[in-house]
Amino acid sequence: MKILLSCINANGFGGSEMYHYELAREFDLIGHDVTLFTLRHIDWMDQTRLKLQHVNQLDTTNLDISEKYDIIVASQPQVNLFMLEHFKETPIISIIHSEIRSEDPVLDPRISHYIAIRQSIADMLINEYKIPAAKVSLIYNPIDRSRFNSAETAKLERYSGIFVGEVMDPIRFKAVQHLVTQCIENDWDLYLMSDSRYDFKHPNIKYVDKRWDTENLVQMMHFTAGILLGRTTLEGWCCDVPGYMYIIDIHGNILDIETIAPNNIKLLCDSKHVAQQHIDLYQTII
């Protein structure tokens, strides 16, 4: 199958970037002809780009819109609109990564199907946007289980947790503040992996640089924390590390804190299983 996998940006270690890295990697491993396209220029020295040397990678400087693909998989509204404009005859699947910001689905009859990466997004697509349930599938974020697993790794001596995400992001900041307060009150250490930094003025609150091998950090932790059901929570569960999920609204207000993993989550987010779910869906459409 010839697949055009498309997104805004593929450089770096963010949630969307790693999502497309994992899908492209798995599609390539099982023998599909996959091209990863991004609207932003590709940084050929980026670590994740270098790890996809066997995958064709394009940006707006070298995309040939006359090329024929069996199916196009598009994330983010801008990319959906770009694909609808330039590939009018090719089936398009739209992936929705968030229910709270910048992910309003593009409603166009030429979009064959929508993939939600968590149940709350699927509910939003069906209930708020009135997309027929038959056109919506729940397929979780892909996690590489060869990296994120319950390997015998020594935990940090002090009770510690990790939060991955931009601390100064307005929709995350209230959750981070609450988490910081809880860690200080309980004398826990909290590691924040973020480019933006707020000085919480307490030795228990520590910043770490973004890195490729986050599994080595997660496996040492006693818990993870994040907003909604993001990659870090899934990665932690795959490592048998409990997770705190902050359920927030579009303004970042905390609605709830959940700790229970969905049934069979290790299987459902295994990148091999996720890739096969995608391929099975694509085949029903083309």
Side-chain angles (χ1 to χ4, degrees), residues 143 162-165 218 224-226 229-237 241:
I143 306 297
I162 186 169
F163 179 98
V164 179
V218 171
T224 69
L229 180 50
R231 287 194 66 84
T232 304
T233 304
L234 293 172
E235 290 167 351
W237 285 337
V241 176

Side-chain angles (χ1 to χ4, degrees), residues 246-265:
Y246 282 84
I247 309 304
I248 62 174
D249 63 17
I250 61 173
H251 304 293
N253 297 312
I254 300 169
L255 305 177
D256 198 3
I257 303 173
E258 297 182 0
T259 59
I260 305 300
N263 290 332
N264 300 319
I265 192 59

Side-chain angles (χ1 to χ4, degrees), residues 88 146 278 284:
K88 299 185 185 300
S146 70
H278 275 258
T284 67

Side-chain angles (χ1 to χ4, degrees), residues 28-156:
D28 178 60
L29 285 174
I30 58 182
H32 294 282
D33 182 355
V34 57
T35 295
L36 178 60
F37 166 77
T38 69
L39 286 182
R40 293 182 188 166
H41 288 183
I42 292 172
D43 176 5
W44 293 107
M45 298 306 295
D46 178 73
Q47 193 169 355
T48 52
R49 305 284 60 73
L50 294 172
K51 292 178 182 296
L52 284 177
Q53 293 183 6
H54 299 295
V55 172
N56 191 28
Q57 300 181 68
L58 304 174
D59 57 28
T60 53
T61 65
N62 55 3
L63 175 69
D64 181 359
I65 61 173
S66 68
E67 187 78 19
K68 301 298 182 183
Y69 297 92
D70 293 318
I71 200 156
I72 293 171
V73 185
S75 293
Q76 292 103 22
Q78 303 97 312
V79 183
N80 278 257
L81 294 172
F82 181 94
M83 293 300 163
L84 286 167
E85 178 182 357
H86 294 289
F87 294 89
K88 299 185 185 300
E89 305 300 325
T90 308
I92 295 175
I93 291 179
S94 180
I95 303 179
I96 311 298
H97 297 263
S98 177
E99 63 274 50
I100 59 175
R101 183 177 63 185
S102 303
E103 288 278 350
D104 293 336
V106 175
L107 303 177
D108 190 293
R110 290 175 294 164
I111 294 179
S112 301
H113 205 85
Y114 296 83
I115 292 176
I117 65 161
R118 50 182 170 260
Q119 185 62 56
S120 53
I121 297 174
D123 294 341
M124 174 193 74
L125 296 176
I126 295 168
N127 298 327
E128 295 183 26
Y129 290 93
K130 308 305 177 185
I131 298 172
K135 290 187 65 173
V136 177
S137 293
L138 168 61
I139 305 180
Y140 286 96
N141 265 313
I143 306 297
D144 184 353
R145 296 284 284 116
S146 70
R147 296 173 55 202
F148 295 93
N149 52 57
S150 53
E152 292 295 329
T153 301
K155 298 294 184 185
L156 293 173

Side-chain angles (χ1 to χ4, degrees), residues 8-23:
I8 289 180
N9 176 53
N11 303 315
F13 310 136
S16 175
E17 291 78 10
M18 293 307 300
Y19 179 95
H20 294 91
Y21 163 82
E22 291 293 353
L23 270 190

